Amino acid sequence: MTAADDDAMRRALALAAEAAADGDVPVGAVVTDARGVIIGEGRNLREQTHDPTAHAEIVALRAAAEAQRGWNLEQHTLVVTLEPCVMCAGAILQARIGRVVFGAWDDKAGAAGSMYDVLRDRRLPYRAEVVGGIRADEATALLRDFFESRR
């Protein structure tokens, strides 16, 4: 993990907290360019927008592609507070993201090494480097507190 990854994860955690404050599952994501500069960010917006695809990763990928004026984000890193799901992993591969850094593991729906390993599947034409468990305690605490408050 680089200093830029840590800075990006801190921003992603702040976005996750914003999502929780608005009643969405607390997941935040940012996309950084090759220099480590954040060029796109997102947080879960499913409840707010009523859009089932409005996961933090998808929102961040869309913002980064718009900022770059192109969909190919091969030299970029996606930093997200929770291990991506299958839908998000597919979008990450479609965007050609080179690296994925995430916080908490998702043993129920993760697609970056826990439940599935879509991002590194050798049968697919493109793969991403995966770094998991970064600031996992903080990311897990946000999720735990969110769900406990709803029980």
Side-chain angles (χ1 to χ4, degrees):
M1 180 186 73
T2 67
D5 292 340
D6 193 54
D7 290 344
M9 183 59 80
R10 276 191 261 123
R11 178 62 185 146
L13 286 163
L15 290 163
E18 289 176 19
D22 285 341
D24 260 296
V25 175
V27 179
V30 298
V31 176
T32 61
D33 66 14
R35 297 167 293 146
V37 175
I38 293 173
I39 62 158
E41 57 182 43
R43 61 186 180 94
N44 271 358
L45 295 171
R46 289 190 318 169
E47 298 300 326
Q48 186 175 344
T49 63
H50 312 291
D51 177 356
T53 69
H55 288 199
E57 299 95 324
I58 303 294
V59 175
L61 289 170
R62 287 176 178 157
E66 185 174 331
Q68 293 295 292
R69 298 183 195 265
W71 62 268
N72 190 322
L73 302 172
E74 190 171 351
Q75 300 300 316
H76 296 68
T77 298
L78 174 79
V79 179
V80 59
T81 59
L82 180 64
E83 179 183 3
C85 70
V86 172
M87 175 186 71
C88 291
I92 290 163
L93 294 178
Q94 288 298 316
R96 303 291 193 262
I97 288 284
R99 287 179 73 236
V100 175
V101 175
F102 68 87
W105 293 90
D106 185 351
D107 294 333
K108 294 179 183 173
S114 62
M115 186 85 172
Y116 305 100
D117 201 356
V118 174
L119 294 176
R120 295 178 288 200
D121 191 323
R122 296 264 177 228
R123 296 168 295 181
L124 298 173
Y126 190 81
R127 287 169 292 286
E129 177 187 346
V130 175
V131 180
I134 305 305
R135 293 187 174 261
D137 291 343
E138 294 169 67
T140 300
L142 278 170
L143 290 158
R144 183 187 60 241
D145 293 349
F146 177 81
F147 287 112
E148 282 179 359
S149 73
R150 277 150 180 72
R151 290 186 183 131

